[in-house]
């Protein structure tokens, strides 16, 4: 369908006149056919053109305000609507899409895209399905996917305001990994009770997917020993049962190292030095002694080298971080070993701790990330052949600004890396990816934003936040208004590792819809079996003729 005509071109910016009666929306993908080249455009703004004098504008606005009809002489020549669009790709005679190196001629026609041209943009060449191509508010049936093999090791940044759809997108990523053929693993910590069963009757969780029985490890305080955890739920009048692998969330003190606490960023240099001194003196029993012993005993143990007030403050912080639910003096089972085994087998590891404080969540997140990094790094160096066959692991970090902000990484003018910034910098070498999720990207350190090569921008109306992302992301110049006006579930995807050469507008899958499709198939199979069972029962009751 013809949409308009080009009236101005400068650089990669195109302005076209919109045909009368045609509605164009910000974010629309359109095309211009010029000879053997097809140019693909993305609309980012609008600019009405007027040749009316100031007197005419005053007269016409006065008539309109008094509910009188408007009469404009030669209206199509003196007043019309135009749209501003960016050239995002050109498709040559060979059918391949490339970055634009030329521009269309003036007065060539602008038209809507066809499926063939959408297909040439390489938006569905990956194995991680995120949603459908969106044109303005219109959602197509053309899938948007990324390559997990290429995108995960180069890290993912997901940004949105609260309520913008971050958790839904997180569950969609987990759903994809549940359905991967052991190519990927995922670790996520849930402190809001949203991922396992959805948290309420209106939402579904990972356990509702049939693949959870094969690929989900549920780490929780709900169970006291490693077991097969049974979960029942009702769907359309049928009771379904899931049996998933579960492991108790209990971690012994001797699993913890001073660096686990230090990398949370909660301790002063004096307190950090105290932790190191204590560990060097006591080794594995350092934490238990720190918790149990009185300040005077520790003061004497370290030859009075550490002030008592430093010991007192450190004991208070440590006690708060440990709590009494997850970290214990002794643990019957090796939960860290179970998690690493699940990572190596290509599973989704859901650590459920809904009653955790922010400090406890930070400690556990640092602990797990450090152990996974050390495990993969050691495997690559000691057993490179086995390491090549291991799945790519993606570590999902909610509230990423807690770990990756300038305040967290730069102290007293010096940069101090933690495990998450280390993974962002070096994880690619070891098949470890970071999925950083935040509603405050404006707080992130600039290097971190650059290192997350795949970015998914959901609704983000605050200027300091979206400008930080725009400034350090390719292909987002000029799309500030679109980012500000995204609705819940709408997003822009930038993924150069997946072969995408522009910011792709898309509608994120609803996790509930994905799982309901699976449940409907399962339901049809169950009802088919029930019909067969009833038929056999009637046959046996009636006997043979």
């Amino acid at each position: 369908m013809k949409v308009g005509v080009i009236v101005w071109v400068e650089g990669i910016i195109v302005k076209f006149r919109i045909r009368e009666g045609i509605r164009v929306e910000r974010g629309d993908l359109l095309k211009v056919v010029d000879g053997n080249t097809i140019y693909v455009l993305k609309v980012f703004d609008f600019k009405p053109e007027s040749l009316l004098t100031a007197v005419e504008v005053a007269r016409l606005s006065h008539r309109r305000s008094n509910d009188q009809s408007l009469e404009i002489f030669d209206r199509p020549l003196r007043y019309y609507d135009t749209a501003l669009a960016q050239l995002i790709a050109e498709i040559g005679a060979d059918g391949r899409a490339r970055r634009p190196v030329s521009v269309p001629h003036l007065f060539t026609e602008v038209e809507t895209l066809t499926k063939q041209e959408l297909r040439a943009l390489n938006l569905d060449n990956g194995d991680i399905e995120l949603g459908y191509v969106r044109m303005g508010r219109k959602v197509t049936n053309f899938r948007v996917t990324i390559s997990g093999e290429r995108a995960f090791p180069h890290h993912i940044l997901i940004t949105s305001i609260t309520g913008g759809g971050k958790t839904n997108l997180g569950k969609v990523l987990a759903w994809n990994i549940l359905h991967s053929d052991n190519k990927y693993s995922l670790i996520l910590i849930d402190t809001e009770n949203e991922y396992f069963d959805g948290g309420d009757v209106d939402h579904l969780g990972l356990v509702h997917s049939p693949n959870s029985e094969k690929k989900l490890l549920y780490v929780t305080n709900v169970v006291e020993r490693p077991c097969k955890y049974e979960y029942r739920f009702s769907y359309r009048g049928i009771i379904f049962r899931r049996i998933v692998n579960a492991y108790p969330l209990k971690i012994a003190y001797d699993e913890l190292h001073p660096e686990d606490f230090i990398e949370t960023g909660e301790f002063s240099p004096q307190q950090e030095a105290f932790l190191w001194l204590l560990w060097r003196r006591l080794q594995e029993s350092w934490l238990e002694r720190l918790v149990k012993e009185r300040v005077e005993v520790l003061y004497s143990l370290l030859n009075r080298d550490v002030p008592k007030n430093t010991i007192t403050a450190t004991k208070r912080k440590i006690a708060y971080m440990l709590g009494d639910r997850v970290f214990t003096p002794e643990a019957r089972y090796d939960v860290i070993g179970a998690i690493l085994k699940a990572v190596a087998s290509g599973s989704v590891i859901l650590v459920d701790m809904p009653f955790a404080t922010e400090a406890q969540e930070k400690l556990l997140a640092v602990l797990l990330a450090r152990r996974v990094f050390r495990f993969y790094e050691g495997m690559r160096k000691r057993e490179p052949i086995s390491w090549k066959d291991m799945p790519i692991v993606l570590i999902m970090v909610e509230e990423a600004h807690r770990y990756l902000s300038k305040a967290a990484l730069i102290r007293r003018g010096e940069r101090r890396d933690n495990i998450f910034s280390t993974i962002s910098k070096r994880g690619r070498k070891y098949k470890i990816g970071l999925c950083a999720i935040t509603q405050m990207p404006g707080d992130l350190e600039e290097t971190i934003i650059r290192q997350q090569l795949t970015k998914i921008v959901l609704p983000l109306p605050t200027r300091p936040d979206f400008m930080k992302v725009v400034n350090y992301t390719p292909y987002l110049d000029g799309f500030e208004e679109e980012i500000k006006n995204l609705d819940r579930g709408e997003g822009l995807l930038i993924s150069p590792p997946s072969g995408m050469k522009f910011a792709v507008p898309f509608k994120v899958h609803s996790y509930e819809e994905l799982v309901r499709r699976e449940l409907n198939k399962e339901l049809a199979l169950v009802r088919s079996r029930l019909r067969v069972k009833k038929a056999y029962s009637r046959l046996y009751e009636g006997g043979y003729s």
Side-chain angles (χ1 to χ4, degrees):
M1 181 178 71
K2 295 180 180 179
V3 174
V5 175
I6 291 179
V7 295
W8 175 80
V9 178
E10 183 174 339
I12 60 170
I13 305 302
V14 171
K15 181 165 71 173
F16 66 90
R17 176 174 179 159
I18 303 172
R19 292 187 68 180
E20 293 288 334
I22 297 296
R23 178 180 174 83
V24 176
E25 298 180 348
R26 186 178 284 110
D28 270 343
L29 294 178
L30 303 168
K31 71 175 179 182
V32 175
V33 180
D34 192 353
N36 293 325
T37 303
I38 299 174
Y39 297 92
V40 182
L41 317 176
K42 186 181 178 194
V43 177
F44 66 87
D45 213 342
F46 302 94
K47 185 179 180 182
E49 292 290 343
S50 172
L51 299 178
L52 302 174
T53 65
V55 173
E56 288 176 307
V57 171
R59 178 177 61 81
L60 292 169
S61 60
H62 176 71
R63 290 181 62 86
R64 174 62 75 186
S65 64
N66 289 287
D67 296 327
Q68 298 177 3
S69 62
L70 300 183
E71 296 179 0
I72 304 175
F73 180 72
D74 285 340
R75 183 183 187 282
L77 302 179
R78 305 180 67 205
Y79 172 78
Y80 54 90
D81 292 322
T82 67
L84 296 174
Q86 189 178 100
L87 288 169
I88 58 175
E90 63 178 54
I91 303 172
D94 58 359
R96 295 180 58 186
R98 301 175 179 84
R99 291 292 296 163
V101 294
S102 59
V103 296
H105 292 92
L106 290 180
F107 309 121
T108 49
E109 293 183 326
V110 180
E111 305 173 53
T112 53
L113 279 179
T114 65
K115 288 184 178 179
Q116 181 179 355
E117 289 139 6
L118 272 174
R119 195 172 293 111
L121 295 177
N122 300 319
L123 305 182
D124 188 20
N125 290 341
D127 55 352
I128 303 297
E129 183 178 344
L130 299 179
Y132 293 113
V133 174
R134 173 179 55 82
M135 298 188 182
R137 293 278 184 259
K138 303 178 291 294
V139 180
T140 71
N141 59 1
F142 197 84
R143 299 192 316 165
V144 174
T145 62
I146 60 174
S147 168
E149 186 175 0
R150 297 174 182 173
F152 288 173
H154 289 279
H155 318 301
I156 299 174
L157 175 64
I158 299 174
T159 66
S160 172
I161 58 170
T162 300
K166 298 187 299 293
T167 299
N168 175 71
L169 179 54
K171 289 195 282 189
V172 168
L173 283 170
W175 179 87
N176 277 277
I177 294 174
L178 283 175
H179 291 75
S180 68
D181 189 18
N182 298 331
K183 292 175 61 179
Y184 314 112
S185 295
L186 174 69
I187 297 178
L188 62 96
I189 297 175
D190 182 16
T191 60
E192 303 295 338
N193 202 25
E194 296 176 309
Y195 279 87
F196 181 68
D197 62 2
D200 55 54
V201 295
D202 296 323
H203 295 88
L204 300 177
L206 303 184
V207 72
H208 294 99
S209 174
N211 281 37
S212 63
E213 294 190 317
K214 301 176 184 177
K215 300 287 292 291
L216 179 65
L217 175 62
Y218 182 41
V219 182
T220 174
N221 278 322
V222 172
V223 301
E224 297 181 354
R225 65 181 187 278
C227 63
K228 297 288 187 179
Y229 181 72
E230 182 177 338
Y231 180 84
R232 293 175 179 265
F233 63 96
S234 174
Y235 179 72
R236 297 179 62 180
I238 298 292
I239 300 297
F240 287 83
R241 184 180 71 160
R242 298 281 187 258
I243 298 177
V244 300
N245 292 313
Y247 215 93
L249 181 54
K250 294 292 183 184
I251 299 174
Y253 285 171
D254 60 13
E255 290 277 1
L256 292 161
H257 188 273
E259 195 67 32
D260 297 324
F261 291 91
I262 291 170
E263 291 199 16
T264 64
E266 298 291 330
F267 296 85
S268 68
Q270 294 79 9
Q271 293 165 352
E272 292 175 5
F274 165 55
L275 294 179
W276 281 117
L277 283 172
L278 197 61
W279 178 78
R280 290 190 182 100
R281 178 66 61 88
L282 300 173
Q283 294 296 309
E284 290 186 357
S285 63
W286 76 278
L287 184 55
E288 186 173 359
R289 294 284 297 276
L290 173 59
V291 172
K292 290 183 177 180
E293 300 289 4
R294 293 181 296 111
V295 172
E296 290 76 10
V297 174
L298 296 171
Y299 181 63
S300 299
L301 182 66
L302 297 176
N303 302 320
R304 302 180 180 183
D305 289 336
V306 180
K308 288 185 178 181
N309 60 344
T310 299
I311 298 174
T312 302
T314 307
K315 279 176 66 68
R316 184 175 62 250
K317 284 184 180 180
I318 290 286
Y320 178 67
M321 297 186 84
L322 292 175
D324 59 0
R325 291 177 179 270
V326 176
F327 302 99
T328 62
E330 294 181 356
R332 295 174 59 190
Y333 306 103
D334 181 12
V335 64
I336 301 297
I339 289 174
L340 294 179
K341 183 178 178 181
V343 166
S345 67
S347 299
V348 172
I349 297 92
L350 171 60
V351 181
D352 194 18
M353 46 189 306
F355 301 105
T357 64
E358 180 180 322
Q360 290 167 351
E361 180 189 359
K362 289 179 75 172
L363 177 58
L364 185 59
V366 168
L367 170 66
L368 293 180
R370 290 189 71 238
R371 298 306 182 273
V372 170
F373 186 82
R374 188 170 67 186
F375 175 48
Y376 267 65
E377 182 184 36
M379 287 295 294
R380 184 190 177 190
K381 292 177 179 178
R382 292 191 304 270
E383 303 179 44
I385 296 177
S386 298
W387 171 81
K388 286 184 179 180
D389 294 330
M390 292 173 67
I392 296 169
V393 58
L394 186 68
I395 301 175
M396 188 177 291
V397 183
E398 298 263 7
E399 308 292 343
H401 50 275
R402 294 178 185 168
Y403 313 94
L404 299 169
S405 66
K406 286 185 177 180
L409 296 176
I410 300 176
R411 299 171 66 180
R412 293 176 174 83
E414 294 183 6
R415 180 183 173 92
R416 296 187 58 184
D417 284 322
N418 57 35
I419 185 58
F420 299 107
S421 62
T422 299
I423 290 174
S424 185
K425 184 164 50 179
R426 298 173 53 210
R428 171 182 55 84
K429 301 176 182 179
Y430 303 108
K431 301 170 68 171
I432 304 173
L434 189 68
C435 179
I437 302 176
T438 179
Q439 68 267 33
M440 300 169 65
D443 288 353
L444 296 181
E445 205 254 342
E446 289 83 356
T447 304
I448 297 298
I449 299 179
R450 290 191 185 102
Q451 290 167 340
Q452 319 301 302
L453 296 191
T454 293
K455 298 182 178 69
I456 302 175
V457 184
L458 301 175
L460 195 66
T462 50
R463 183 175 181 82
D465 289 320
F466 70 70
M467 286 307 300
K468 189 72 166 284
V469 177
V470 169
N471 288 339
Y472 296 100
T473 305
Y475 316 132
L476 279 182
D477 290 339
F479 294 114
E480 293 86 353
E481 287 300 320
E482 183 175 356
I483 294 172
K484 284 166 54 179
N485 291 287
L486 291 170
D487 280 344
R488 176 181 170 83
E490 295 179 348
L492 292 176
L493 169 65
I494 305 94
S495 185
S498 299
M500 296 177 182
K501 304 299 184 183
F502 65 98
V504 181
F506 77 113
K507 176 74 172 179
V508 183
H509 282 316
S510 163
Y511 177 77
E512 280 68 31
E513 290 181 8
L514 291 174
V515 176
R516 287 191 187 108
R517 291 180 203 166
E518 295 182 297
L519 292 175
N520 287 335
K521 292 179 182 178
E522 204 173 354
L523 185 64
L525 184 60
V526 169
R527 288 178 171 169
S528 176
R529 288 173 178 171
L530 288 175
R531 285 194 295 269
V532 171
K533 186 175 180 180
K534 288 180 181 179
Y536 272 108
S537 297
R538 287 195 297 268
L539 179 63
Y540 288 132
E541 288 173 4
Y544 293 97
S545 56

